[in-house]
Amino acid sequence: MPFTSAQVYSPALRLIVRKFALCLFVPGLLAGAILPEYVGTYKKVSSAPLSLDHPAVWNEYGLRASEQATFELKGAKLHVEAYSMQDSTGALAAFQWKRPAGSRAIEARLSDGKPSDAKLAEAKVQDLSKLTAVTANGIAIALGNHFLLLDGYIPTADELANVFRSLPGQQSGPLPTLPDHLPAAGLVANSERYISGPASLALFSPEISSTTAAFHLGTEAQMALFQTASGEEQRMEIFSFPTPDSARDRAGALSNTPNSIVKRTGPLVAVVLQPKDTNAAESLLSLVRFQAVITGQDRADHPPTKKDNWGNFMVNIFILIGMVLLFCLVSGAIFGGMRHLFRRGGESGEGDQMITLHLDNR
């Protein structure tokens, strides 16, 4: 007699199967929920997964999780997009790509005179992260391996720090130095794009093939637009290769790109694509110079303290030596005084006699 499904799956077994399926399904739903319940005094009221354009580029940048959420405070709404990347390079790439076109960078230092409260607030946010851009009613900021895009309210530095601390998998790491090689003269604001593989190269610079870029060598590139004296814009990319020899080889391949001008400096190769003014393109390329940069602690953000002063270090050593000597003298005096008191109290002191073997006549 064949078994029916009702006979095979008892109610207890069906309950176990449902719980098992729930355990597999729920983590997938929660994977995108990375934002906290509050941003400052704004409370989260809704959350949804982000609909990502160009998923291949996001995958190349190392996107691990994303979320969009709406927060409310007394009727005012704040919309937040959060991107959790694999490392700080991916966060920088996402910041350059997704910051609003009309945003502006925060001034690194305030001008002379009494600054406004808004300027003071911006300066504190700048101290939190260099990758910060503000709009009239929002902010884009990347810190560590996370990138946030907020619209409707500009949180304070403390509020932003609390949000970043609550994000899962927070990692800190040095930012890539390749963007520092972009010339400042004529740079069009918010035009920078970081290229880390074939997908981003095809999106931002389709004229160059991934074979020519040779990403299997570990190639990365930084693209930006520059304005010429005549007001026209021209695009330049700086490719970073592992060694000067590989850069020399790739410079020859890149020079075969139609309508391009190429310059190599160290392990970097700069390319101006479709130059509208050859003289302006040559002048722009001349500003690209390779200079080795040692990545470490940024003294601008972390000024020297007494711990970094060698003189203060030596003084502390002598203070420590003096404390050890003082401890030895005090503990010796206490030990000797205790023995003296014990002997005056009737102790024979026989337990303190030294045992000798009398080996003189042997």
Side-chain angles (χ1 to χ4, degrees):
M1 179 178 178
F3 291 98
T4 64
S5 59
Q7 289 173 315
V8 175
Y9 297 106
S10 65
L13 183 58
R14 286 200 297 269
L15 181 60
I16 293 174
V17 172
R18 288 174 182 173
K19 288 183 177 180
F20 181 76
L22 190 63
C23 291
L24 294 178
F25 184 67
V26 170
L29 292 177
L30 297 179
I34 58 178
L35 285 167
E37 289 299 314
Y38 285 90
V39 174
T41 54
Y42 282 73
K43 179 177 174 55
K44 183 193 288 187
V45 295
S46 65
S47 176
L50 276 166
S51 178
L52 300 174
D53 55 343
H54 305 289
V57 177
W58 282 112
N59 183 62
E60 193 173 86
Y61 285 164
L63 179 66
R64 298 191 302 186
S66 62
E67 180 190 8
Q68 60 178 343
T70 300
F71 297 75
E72 284 190 1
L73 175 64
K74 298 179 180 179
K77 291 187 177 182
L78 165 66
H79 182 74
V80 181
E81 295 182 7
Y83 302 83
S84 178
M85 314 301 292
Q86 186 173 352
D87 53 28
S88 57
T89 300
L92 176 139
F95 170 79
Q96 290 187 351
W97 183 23
K98 289 301 178 181
R99 62 184 166 182
S103 61
R104 60 176 178 82
I106 295 177
E107 292 80 3
R109 295 290 180 265
L110 295 175
S111 59
D112 295 336
K114 186 177 180 180
S116 64
D117 293 340
K119 286 290 184 182
L120 287 173
E122 288 187 3
K124 291 181 179 180
V125 174
Q126 175 71 23
D127 291 338
L128 181 65
S129 173
K130 291 182 177 180
L131 299 179
T132 306
V134 294
T135 63
N137 200 34
I139 187 171
I141 180 170
L143 180 63
N145 61 317
H146 287 103
F147 167 58
L148 296 180
L149 188 60
L150 301 93
D151 182 46
Y153 170 65
I154 302 179
T156 65
D158 291 338
E159 291 171 344
L160 285 170
N162 290 332
V163 173
F164 278 108
R165 276 192 291 265
S166 67
L167 297 177
Q170 180 71 24
Q171 299 177 8
S172 60
L175 293 171
T177 58
L178 184 56
D180 298 334
H181 294 284
L182 288 175
L187 179 63
V188 177
N190 305 325
S191 67
E192 303 96 320
R193 298 293 184 270
Y194 204 82
I195 298 172
S196 59
S200 51
L201 180 68
L203 178 62
F204 301 127
S205 185
E207 299 90 346
I208 300 176
S209 68
S210 58
T211 304
T212 303
F215 288 104
H216 65 278
L217 299 177
T219 308
E220 293 185 336
Q222 177 67 68
M223 188 208 79
L225 297 178
F226 293 85
Q227 192 171 40
T228 64
S230 60
E232 296 178 328
E233 291 184 354
Q234 56 188 9
R235 175 160 45 99
M236 182 176 71
E237 298 179 21
I238 302 178
F239 289 85
S240 175
F241 297 95
T243 63
D245 287 339
S246 59
R248 186 179 297 107
D249 177 69
R250 290 296 91 197
L254 287 167
S255 62
N256 293 327
T257 304
N259 196 15
S260 65
I261 303 178
V262 178
K263 172 194 175 182
R264 184 190 70 84
T265 170
L268 304 180
V269 177
V271 182
V272 175
L273 296 168
Q274 300 176 357
K276 298 179 176 61
D277 185 341
T278 304
N279 292 330
E282 292 286 357
S283 299
L284 179 62
L285 289 173
S286 68
L287 299 177
V288 180
R289 303 182 185 91
F290 172 73
Q291 184 175 4
V293 178
I294 299 176
T295 303
Q297 187 181 28
D298 193 340
R299 293 299 184 186
D301 293 337
H302 304 280
T305 63
K306 290 184 177 180
K307 295 186 299 181
D308 304 309
N309 189 311
W310 276 96
N312 187 72
F313 176 70
M314 297 302 298
V315 170
N316 288 333
I317 288 179
F318 285 112
I319 292 175
L320 178 60
I321 293 173
M323 293 175 63
V324 172
L325 290 176
L326 180 62
F327 172 77
C328 293
L329 291 175
V330 173
S331 59
I334 293 175
F335 180 74
M338 294 293 290
R339 290 193 58 183
H340 179 70
L341 291 177
F342 286 149
R343 288 183 178 180
R344 290 191 60 179
E347 293 287 342
S348 62
E350 294 179 356
D352 298 329
Q353 293 179 356
M354 182 180 294
I355 300 175
T356 59
L357 299 179
H358 303 288
L359 300 176
D360 295 341
N361 298 325
R362 294 178 179 246

